[in-house]
Amino acid sequence: MTQEKVALIGSGNWGSAIAKIVGSNVLQNAEFDKEVRMWVFEEMVDGRKLTEIINNDHENVKYLPGIKLPESIVAVPDLLECVRDATTLIFVVPHQFLKGICKSLLGNIRPDARAISLIKGLDASADGMRLFSQVIADVLNIEVSVLSGANIANEVAEEMFCESTIGSKRKEDGEVFYKLFNTPYFRITVVEDVAGVEICGALKNIVAVGAGFIDGLKLGENTKAAIMRIGLMEMKRFACTFWSGVKEETFYESCGVADLITTCAGGRNRKVAEAHVVTGRSFDELEREMLNGQKLQGTLAAHEVHDYLKAKNMTAEFPLFTRIYQIVYENTPASSIVEGL
């Protein structure tokens, strides 16, 4: 039996947390090769190369300090070396870099490779909208599944129990990814609704920005709960309006309501939005100061979704998404968050 060889494209906070899971699971399952190459954007940390630190000390000291990675994880700075001979590709990079990465991979991966995207966001503009799984599939001509759930990276890395959802069109792919990701503390459910799983992961970040405004304004838990409920309804409306085959029950999996709750309670989009209200400082400035190199996804998603809705003349049908965009980009006061809902 040919073993599955796994390549992990990305090594940030979430990528490193996933590396711990995947690196442990390949050691326990004979179906997988015992080495997982992880692509690391090379940088210097305290005078040492980050790849050298990961490979010698088995810790990503910059993006996931204090968590030991399995010795099966091998950090490589060369993207093409990372994916060489890989049958299974895990994409977990900031979405603004995805298209460039896919172009670099074109012609340099196995034609029978399968992929899974852990990237939350949408490739959206006035000209159209695509899921990031579609971006990968269109460029590389491979089948792409998705994973999304109520998964704060540090808590997953510390083995606090949680769930996550995999959307996979092919049963055999879902089975492989279940074996690769499922653990007693990271419980996986596999569904066929790829679009629904991925859309949940993209849109909940917009709602989390709104929840952060509520926290910054100290409007209380009742108001925050209302924002979350309205946000969930707009997520469902958006998904079912623009994608066929999305299943309502997907929104009650971990990728849906659970991820929305988690992100509105403790995610970085909520945290930075609250700080914006409290300090009056710009999102760009707060992102640089508070996120240690990570990027805000909610503000960018709000802009992309607004452009798309505006082109469709449908902004009035999504009042919460529209108001969050106005607060972030048009200097509308945060105190107007609940007006017109």
Side-chain angles (χ1 to χ4, degrees), residues 271-283:
K271 180 180 178 181
V272 175
E274 178 184 26
H276 170 74
V277 174
V278 172
T279 67
R281 294 161 65 192
S282 72
F283 278 94

Side-chain angles (χ1 to χ4, degrees), residues 176-220:
V176 169
F177 289 128
Y178 179 87
K179 294 172 185 175
L180 191 57
F181 290 101
N182 188 66
T183 76
Y185 66 88
F186 191 67
R187 187 166 68 187
I188 295 295
T189 300
V190 181
V191 300
E192 295 181 358
D193 185 5
V194 175
V197 172
E198 191 165 0
I199 293 165
C200 284
L203 300 184
K204 56 94 181 184
N205 287 317
I206 303 175
V207 184
V209 172
F213 293 152
I214 298 299
D215 287 342
L217 293 164
K218 295 182 169 51
L219 293 180

Side-chain angles (χ1 to χ4, degrees), residues 198-245:
E198 191 165 0
I199 293 165
C200 284
L203 300 184
K204 56 94 181 184
N205 287 317
I206 303 175
V207 184
V209 172
F213 293 152
I214 298 299
D215 287 342
L217 293 164
K218 295 182 169 51
L219 293 180
E221 298 305 319
N222 292 342
T223 306
K224 188 171 178 179
I227 290 294
M228 292 166 64
R229 189 202 65 79
I230 294 166
L232 181 64
M233 293 302 102
E234 292 197 10
M235 288 166 58
K236 286 175 58 179
R237 189 181 309 136
F238 190 91
C240 294
T241 299
F242 299 117
W243 275 270
S244 62

Side-chain angles (χ1 to χ4, degrees), residues 125-197:
S125 68
D127 297 324
M129 183 175 300
R130 291 188 298 169
L131 304 172
F132 285 117
S133 61
Q134 293 175 314
V135 173
I136 299 168
D138 289 348
V139 175
L140 300 179
N141 194 30
I142 58 176
E143 190 65 37
V144 185
S145 301
V146 297
L147 180 148
S148 186
N151 309 139
I152 293 176
N154 287 62
E155 294 182 9
V156 173
E158 292 170 7
E159 302 187 11
M160 299 180 184
F161 176 78
C162 66
E163 299 176 309
S164 200
T165 313
I166 288 176
S168 189
K169 295 177 183 177
R170 299 191 307 201
K171 182 178 179 182
E172 60 269 29
D173 290 347
E175 291 173 349
V176 169
F177 289 128
Y178 179 87
K179 294 172 185 175
L180 191 57
F181 290 101
N182 188 66
T183 76
Y185 66 88
F186 191 67
R187 187 166 68 187
I188 295 295
T189 300
V190 181
V191 300
E192 295 181 358
D193 185 5
V194 175
V197 172

